[in-house]
Amino acid sequence: MPMTAYCKKCARDVAPGEKCPNCGGKLSKSAMRVAWCADHFPVRDWMCWNAAMRILLPLLGLVFLLLLVLEAIAGGAAGVEALLRGGLLFALLVILIIVAALLLLAFILQGEDLLDCVVDSKGVHIQQYLPQPTPLKLMLRLKPASLMQQYDPEEGILLIGQKELLWKDVARVQLWPEKTLILFYAPTWWMRLALPCTPYTYEDSMTFIQEKLGRKKNVKLPAELRAPARPRPEKPRPSQEPEQEQQLTFEDIPAPEPAPEPAPEPEQEGDFVPLAEVLKEIQENETTG
């Protein structure tokens, strides 16, 4: 099933859009999600074996170290050597094989169940349903037999567990593409949730995870889930670059040039002659005459 939107009014998944095509209700961005159902077989699920072995193997290792310490205190190095040669390791190996055989039988008798998986704006959610439950199946799953009181034969399934992991709590994500499986860790060294996807929802789930966690630097992610860097807006360039100011020294300052002398005014024809000079010239002419 591709990415959908959940309409709270209709309580169903509809095609993404601004409004619900059924009731006309408004669909917000937070309503987007990827939801699907997957058949689950515990005997074929590596994560079920992994969950059991994460308890069994450390327990056997602790028993082995405890025996060695007690023997070292009681008999020294010779006692430890005698203990190892006496078949302690072989005994622990036999115990491991017997427990693994019992786990195999328990997983087979548990039968299959149904996983309702949702990836939305809040986080990852998985609800586990058991079809046709029986008290034996519940006990093998470490569930109380009193859950049978909640079983409705008309529905045919019983909710036996649910897991939820919010985006803010995720510390690391790993991908298992061969099994279309996504592993979530919180903290980084402890796996909190395994999300079994289908071939049709694997890519959509990765896109959703990339949108929610791809830019968080404190979350360890594979390269496929890292969001691409946002392009930085380019600053507008000025049309003309301003000229750089040059620092002038005294040597660079030119000496001032002398002001040019004013050109003589050209004589104009018919200049005005004063009357006194004309009379003086007439008197001189009379005396000489």
Side-chain angles (χ1 to χ4, degrees):
M1 180 182 295
M3 193 172 296
T4 60
Y6 181 73
C7 178
K8 296 182 179 179
K9 189 174 181 180
C10 297
R12 61 191 300 183
D13 289 287
V14 297
E18 297 182 357
K19 294 183 178 181
C20 174
N22 297 325
C23 65
K26 186 178 180 180
L27 299 175
S28 61
K29 187 178 180 180
S30 60
M32 297 295 296
R33 69 177 193 172
V34 185
W36 69 96
C37 293
D39 294 327
H40 179 237
F41 300 90
V43 70
R44 295 188 299 185
D45 186 5
W46 162 249
M47 304 314 301
C48 291
W49 289 95
N50 182 50
M53 291 301 174
R54 280 192 296 176
I55 299 175
L56 177 61
L57 294 180
L59 183 60
L60 289 178
L62 182 61
V63 171
F64 176 71
L65 291 177
L66 183 60
L67 292 175
L68 290 182
V69 171
L70 293 177
E71 188 63 29
I73 295 174
V80 173
E81 185 178 356
L83 183 63
L84 294 176
R85 291 182 178 180
L88 176 61
L89 295 177
F90 180 76
L92 293 177
L93 179 60
V94 171
I95 293 174
L96 179 61
I97 294 174
I98 293 175
V99 174
L102 294 175
L103 284 174
L104 176 62
L105 180 61
F107 288 151
I108 293 175
L109 295 177
Q110 283 180 8
E112 66 175 304
D113 52 58
L114 186 66
L115 300 179
D116 187 11
C117 307
V118 175
V119 180
D120 58 14
S121 59
K122 295 181 180 180
V124 183
H125 319 270
I126 298 179
Q127 290 183 325
Q128 188 177 18
Y129 294 90
L130 182 61
Q132 305 300 327
T134 63
L136 177 61
K137 290 182 179 180
L138 292 175
M139 286 188 294
L140 290 174
R141 294 174 181 270
L142 303 180
K143 304 293 181 181
S146 58
L147 284 177
M148 288 296 300
Q149 299 176 3
Q150 305 177 11
Y151 173 61
D152 187 358
E154 294 183 359
E155 294 183 358
I157 57 175
L158 175 65
L159 178 63
I160 59 174
Q162 53 186 354
K163 297 180 181 179
E164 183 180 61
L165 183 60
L166 303 180
W167 296 123
K168 64 179 182 179
D169 298 328
V170 177
R172 181 161 66 104
V173 180
Q174 278 190 332
L175 300 177
W176 199 342
E178 294 81 7
K179 293 185 176 294
T180 61
L181 193 66
I182 304 177
L183 308 178
F184 296 89
Y185 293 77
T188 55
W189 49 268
W190 185 258
M191 193 194 69
R192 285 275 300 276
L193 189 145
L195 181 65
C197 302
T198 65
Y200 304 100
T201 59
Y202 185 69
E203 295 294 336
D204 289 335
S205 299
M206 290 179 57
T207 302
F208 216 110
I209 296 170
Q210 184 184 58
E211 180 181 350
K212 294 298 180 181
L213 302 177
R215 300 188 186 279
K216 291 188 176 182
K217 297 181 179 180
N218 59 338
V219 180
K220 294 184 179 180
L221 298 172
E224 297 89 335
L225 296 181
R226 282 292 177 191
R230 295 177 180 175
R232 296 182 178 179
E234 296 183 358
K235 296 182 180 179
R237 296 182 179 179
S239 57
Q240 294 182 355
E241 296 182 357
E243 297 181 358
Q244 296 182 355
E245 298 182 357
Q246 296 181 356
Q247 296 182 354
L248 301 178
T249 60
F250 289 104
E251 297 178 355
D252 298 330
I253 300 176
E257 297 181 359
E261 297 182 356
E265 297 182 357
E267 296 184 357
Q268 299 180 357
E269 296 180 358
D271 290 340
F272 174 77
V273 179
L275 179 61
E277 293 183 2
V278 175
L279 294 176
K280 184 179 181 180
E281 185 179 354
I282 293 174
Q283 292 178 358
E284 290 178 355
N285 292 334
E286 288 178 357
T287 53
T288 54

